[in-house]
Amino acid sequence: MLELPQLEYFQCVARTEHMTRAAELLSVSQSALSRSIARMEAELGVPLFERQGRTIRLNRYGELFLKRVNRILKEYETGKLEIQNMVEEDAGEVNLGFLHTMGSRLIPDLISTYRVHVPNIRFQLHQNHNTSLLQQLIQGSLDLCLLSSFENMPIPLQWVELWSEELFVAARNDHPLSGRESIELKEIATEPMITFKPGYGLRSITDRLCMEAGFIPDVPFEGEEVPTVAGLVAAGLGVSLIPDVPGLDSSLVKLRVSMPECRRIIGVAWVNERYMAPAARRFLEYIIKNFQNGQEPASAVRQSTAAKLPYPGE
């Protein structure tokens, strides 16, 4: 198996066409360089150079092989540069996962505010539901993710609770309950419940809260995103339990639930003891510092505009 130094030696000899000069440039002995080239030729099964006294020239095999070696070494250098750029604290890359409901306002506000302080940071954004985000996190395609609380946390994951978010019953504005300031969840026990597919955090929360209220919801439709669920509610096909997401259909009303308390916990998760690049580590610490005080997300983001950013280790 050819090794990287052998390819570098070959490239230098091919460029200089002189073994002694190449050895000086590489800071190796001429005998060591000659042995390296000889081992390479033996492994490839063909000579790569024509020897003419003290000078050597590439033969047709060597010219063909040099094109590939140049590409390999170029890709290697490019890869090193890309990795260095990724791990730079102020100009690296963060692979961030988050729930669909955060995509319209929270994540754009969070990133734009953060980039005021760290303008060269780059983000790879991944929207999905709880189960898929956890799988991506464990597999290593995400550095960290914002998601709702979950039971039976997998052992390699670290979780920090950030804030709680109120959930409302969404109904059409001509619904019999629409004029109420608040309702009890059991009052919609006979209503069709439009909710999310299994695996979504909001589905698990809805099922649990309905059980606490003493009923099993009748679910005629399951969606993947809040706007879809809200659209089905606006069409008069049922009610739903959703967070206060901006930009929903104006024909909807959001009813506060007095009993049981309807909230979901949002936190940040990452894989414990796995290497995390400085850029991702710094962003994680920024999130925890600004949200763990229990404030609603909008307030925390606004306050963070003038905040000093935490550095790893602070």
Side-chain angles (χ1 to χ4, degrees):
M1 175 68 71
L2 295 178
E3 299 178 352
L4 185 63
Q6 286 180 283
L7 300 180
E8 293 173 336
Y9 290 177
F10 167 73
Q11 186 186 59
C12 187
V13 173
R15 185 172 63 247
T16 61
E17 296 185 335
H18 198 285
M19 195 69 73
T20 303
R21 192 174 305 130
E24 292 173 352
L25 292 172
L26 293 167
S27 299
V28 297
S29 68
Q30 183 174 335
S31 59
L33 181 58
S34 297
R35 286 195 300 270
S36 177
I37 297 298
R39 285 197 302 269
M40 176 180 287
E41 291 177 324
E43 183 161 346
L44 294 173
V46 293
L48 300 172
F49 296 93
E50 293 179 359
R51 275 77 175 175
Q52 298 175 350
R54 292 188 175 184
T55 62
I56 56 176
R57 295 184 183 278
L58 288 173
N59 60 24
R60 62 191 183 97
Y61 302 116
E63 290 175 353
L64 176 64
F65 189 56
L66 179 61
K67 293 179 182 178
R68 302 296 182 182
V69 168
N70 287 339
R71 292 180 187 175
I72 292 169
L73 294 178
K74 178 63 176 177
E75 286 296 312
Y76 173 70
E77 291 301 321
T78 301
K80 282 202 306 182
L81 181 61
E82 288 177 343
I83 290 174
Q84 289 167 359
N85 289 338
M86 287 178 67
V87 301
E88 285 182 8
E89 183 177 292
D90 294 332
E93 182 176 275
V94 180
N95 277 274
L96 176 65
F98 55 92
L99 299 172
H100 289 287
T101 52
M102 301 177 186
S104 60
R105 177 176 295 176
L106 174 64
I107 296 301
D109 287 350
L110 177 63
I111 290 176
S112 64
T113 302
Y114 187 70
R115 283 173 61 89
V116 170
H117 308 282
V118 192
N120 295 322
I121 199 75
R122 299 184 306 279
F123 287 88
Q124 293 290 334
L125 303 178
H126 308 262
Q127 288 179 267
N128 222 312
H129 57 81
N130 256 28
T131 301
S132 181
L133 288 173
L134 290 173
Q135 290 173 348
Q136 292 178 70
L137 191 60
I138 292 172
Q139 291 167 359
S141 57
L142 296 178
D143 295 314
L144 50 102
C145 57
L146 294 166
L147 69 174
S148 60
S149 58
F150 46 91
E151 298 179 357
N152 303 319
M153 180 179 71
I155 291 175
L157 294 188
Q158 183 73 33
W159 158 268
V160 171
E161 180 179 323
L162 298 177
W163 72 84
S164 68
E165 187 173 63
E166 186 172 6
L167 302 177
F168 299 85
V169 169
R172 274 173 55 120
N173 55 17
D174 59 357
H175 191 280
L177 297 173
S178 62
R180 299 267 297 276
E181 289 188 4
S182 67
I183 65 170
E184 293 187 19
L185 194 60
K186 65 182 180 181
E187 294 182 68
I188 61 167
T190 60
E191 301 271 357
M193 177 70 79
I194 301 170
T195 186
F196 298 82
K197 294 180 178 180
Y200 284 69
L202 279 171
R203 175 58 181 270
S204 300
I205 294 169
T206 297
D207 290 346
R208 175 178 57 79
L209 290 171
C210 290
M211 186 173 297
E212 287 183 27
F215 67 96
I216 297 174
D218 172 26
V219 182
F221 303 102
E222 297 174 333
E224 295 183 351
E225 297 187 13
V226 169
T228 302
V229 170
L232 293 170
V233 173
L237 298 173
V239 297
S240 187
L241 193 63
I242 58 175
D244 187 13
V245 176
L248 295 182
D249 195 299
S250 60
S251 65
L252 295 181
V253 293
K254 297 187 289 289
L255 303 172
R256 178 164 276 115
V257 180
S258 60
M259 186 181 300
E261 183 180 32
C262 290
R263 305 189 74 86
R264 67 172 177 174
I265 305 299
I266 300 296
V268 60
W270 67 96
V271 176
N272 196 27
E273 298 183 356
R274 176 187 289 165
Y275 171 77
M276 184 181 292
R281 173 65 61 182
R282 186 183 184 191
F283 185 64
L284 170 62
E285 294 181 359
Y286 169 79
I287 290 173
I288 293 173
K289 179 179 179 180
N290 283 282
F291 291 126
Q292 202 178 11
N293 57 16
Q295 294 184 90
E296 290 294 328
S299 299
V301 169
R302 284 196 299 271
Q303 288 189 9
S304 70
T305 302
K308 174 184 178 292
L309 287 181
Y311 283 81
E314 282 192 350

